[in-house]
Amino acid sequence: MQTSRTRPSTWTRRLATVGVLALALAACGGGDDDTDADDTDVVDAEADEPAAEPADDATTTEPTDAGDETTGATDESVSTTTPADDASGGTYEPGPIGYRVVSLLDEPVDVYVRTTGLVEAFEAQMGVEPGAVTEFFYPPEGGPLVITTAGSGDATCVATCDHILANVSSFDGSGDVHTLVLYEADGRVTTFDAYEEPAELLGNSNEMVAADPATGQFVAIAVDVTDADFGMRLGFDGVEGCLVSVNLDPSILVGGNQTPAFAYDGGSADVLVYANDDRECAGEPIGGPFTVEGGAGTRSMLVLTGSPGSMDAIVVGFLGSADASDAGDSGDTAAGGDAETAYALMADELTLQIGLPEDEADCLAPFVVDAIGLDVALVDGELIDLDEADAATQDLAFGGIVEGIEVCGIDPAILG
């Protein structure tokens, strides 16, 4: 990233626009998008329940005005006059909200992004295999992510759409980063939407724990586990005792729609799963070990599948955290150290470009880095040059700034 300029950079000029937007949002009492969500079902459980809901009982609820997410539903909020053609071969302008899919189904699926109003669909990734984790896709602004059975086509369908497995849109407060766990429950395909960066505290299990710069964290997601009606406990291989959640009541067990988060020291940990009645986690494990990696400041999801005695897991790094499959590939530099480096460099850049005081720049920098992703923000020890970044990355950075200026108590006027 450049360290000196004789004229305002592209990024700095666009930050002025962000400053105007932030002032307007502050005047209106908040920064949430008021886009209407698709009329769909949701898996959305309260996070403060005293005990885990069984995975077998994971259910969907009726859609609410809040815009909860979907499974196998139709979208009645869009025009039904568009012919049900296959996906367009054209291009579209990506919106600010990103979705990726973790498929736990037994058959491949196709993923599309779609417009609202005059419906048009665009291929995102065809033939997503069971057990795969896609990259992030950014539908046109206000549009949903649509998942269909593989090869079915007709992604613009809005009525009697049995081939559409999920039709997911964001809503106020859920944030711009969504990981969709696609699984089957009670004979129907269901989507659990993990809000990686919720814009506000929602008090439900879809809301993921915030990053902790002092420790690595993982969130246990067990919506696809069967035959564990009364929950499960977790422990670390080689460490006595059971783990205690850092974000929920200590009595909460893993299972159903609960999403307890757990902390670990060092760069990685091997997680074991125990029966709910093994209160000391001293008996024979019913699953694992499953390795989570990343280190201080990173988060990952431990997505459990199968049933006790025959369990598997997919480890998915949060956007902005090192993916478990890539952790440790950077030699002696841990992911937590990379994050601290990126934060420091971004803080320097914020001070240089827009004149933020050091304390405000230090507060705001993590919001920007986390929004665009650590692996994007820092490459080989060098901070990304946002002037040269694509529009989608710049938009993510701006979103991080808008979110951070309120939390950090920064006067939006300083941006323009």
Side-chain angles (χ1 to χ4, degrees):
M1 185 172 274
Q2 299 176 7
T3 56
S4 63
R5 295 186 176 91
T6 57
R7 60 182 177 82
S9 68
T10 303
W11 180 40
T12 305
R13 291 196 299 272
R14 292 188 69 185
L15 282 177
T17 303
V18 174
V20 174
L21 174 62
L23 283 170
L25 292 174
C28 294
D32 293 327
D33 183 11
D34 60 0
T35 302
D36 290 334
D38 293 324
D39 197 11
T40 57
D41 295 341
V42 62
V43 174
D44 187 1
E46 294 299 323
D48 56 357
E49 296 177 5
E53 292 293 329
D56 286 343
D57 292 340
T59 59
T60 58
T61 61
E62 291 299 319
T64 68
D65 292 338
D68 292 336
E69 273 64 45
T70 174
T71 66
T74 59
D75 180 0
E76 299 176 355
S77 66
V78 296
S79 170
T80 59
T81 61
T82 303
D85 297 330
D86 288 344
S88 168
T91 60
Y92 65 93
E93 182 68 24
I97 301 175
Y99 304 86
R100 65 176 164 187
V101 177
V102 180
S103 180
L104 305 181
L105 300 182
D106 294 331
E107 301 293 335
V109 298
D110 292 338
V111 181
Y112 298 85
V113 296
R114 206 164 81 172
T115 61
T116 57
L118 187 64
V119 179
E120 189 173 9
F122 303 87
E123 293 183 358
Q125 185 172 336
M126 302 294 97
V128 177
E129 294 291 337
V133 181
T134 73
E135 61 186 86
F136 278 92
F137 306 116
Y138 295 83
E141 186 165 5
L145 186 90
V146 174
I147 304 172
T148 73
T149 55
S152 62
D154 194 8
T156 59
C157 177
V158 294
T160 316
C161 312
D162 293 340
H163 63 288
I164 292 185
L165 305 176
N167 182 338
V168 182
S169 293
S170 179
F171 64 92
D172 288 352
S174 64
D176 293 347
V177 185
H178 296 254
T179 292
L180 309 176
V181 179
L182 192 67
Y183 66 104
E184 185 173 322
D186 297 326
R188 67 178 300 178
V189 175
T190 303
T191 303
F192 181 85
D193 187 348
Y195 311 151
E196 295 194 22
E197 296 290 348
E200 60 186 66
L201 297 179
L202 302 171
N204 61 40
S205 292
N206 302 76
E207 177 186 332
M208 297 291 99
V209 67
D212 184 345
T215 186
Q217 296 181 114
F218 71 92
V219 178
I221 298 178
V223 291
D224 193 48
V225 174
T226 59
D227 301 326
D229 292 354
F230 300 102
M232 302 167 289
R233 301 181 188 273
L234 300 183
F236 288 142
D237 193 10
V239 179
E240 293 184 1
C242 298
L243 302 184
V244 176
S245 172
V246 298
N247 65 327
L248 301 180
D249 188 281
S251 65
I252 290 291
L253 302 180
V254 174
N257 297 325
Q258 299 298 333
T259 53
F262 304 92
Y264 62 94
D265 296 327
S268 67
D270 293 329
V271 181
L272 296 172
V273 185
Y274 294 90
N276 72 299
D277 59 355
D278 188 351
R279 297 181 179 275
E280 302 299 326
C281 293
E284 187 70 19
I286 60 175
F290 306 120
T291 302
V292 293
E293 298 180 285
T298 68
R299 297 173 293 166
S300 57
M301 302 175 201
L302 179 65
V303 184
L304 298 168
T305 66
S307 57
S310 181
M311 298 185 69
D312 204 347
I314 299 174
V315 181
V316 183
F318 279 53
L319 182 65
S321 296
D323 287 334
S325 59
D326 298 330
D329 290 343
S330 56
D332 294 333
T333 303
D338 286 345
E340 293 303 317
T341 298
Y343 295 161
L345 292 175
M346 184 61 75
D348 290 343
E349 187 69 9
L350 291 170
T351 297
L352 173 69
Q353 295 297 337
I354 57 179
L356 282 181
E358 182 177 342
D359 59 336
E360 293 184 355
D362 288 341
C363 179
L364 183 59
F367 288 93
V368 183
V369 172
D370 291 348
I372 64 179
L374 179 60
D375 57 338
V376 175
L378 193 70
V379 178
D380 295 330
E382 297 291 332
L383 190 66
I384 186 176
D385 186 343
L386 284 171
D387 287 336
E388 302 298 328
D390 57 40
T393 300
Q394 289 187 351
D395 288 343
L396 288 173
F398 300 149
I401 290 172
V402 171
E403 179 184 0
I405 57 177
E406 180 177 0
V407 176
C408 297
I410 298 172
D411 182 359
I414 197 171
L415 300 180

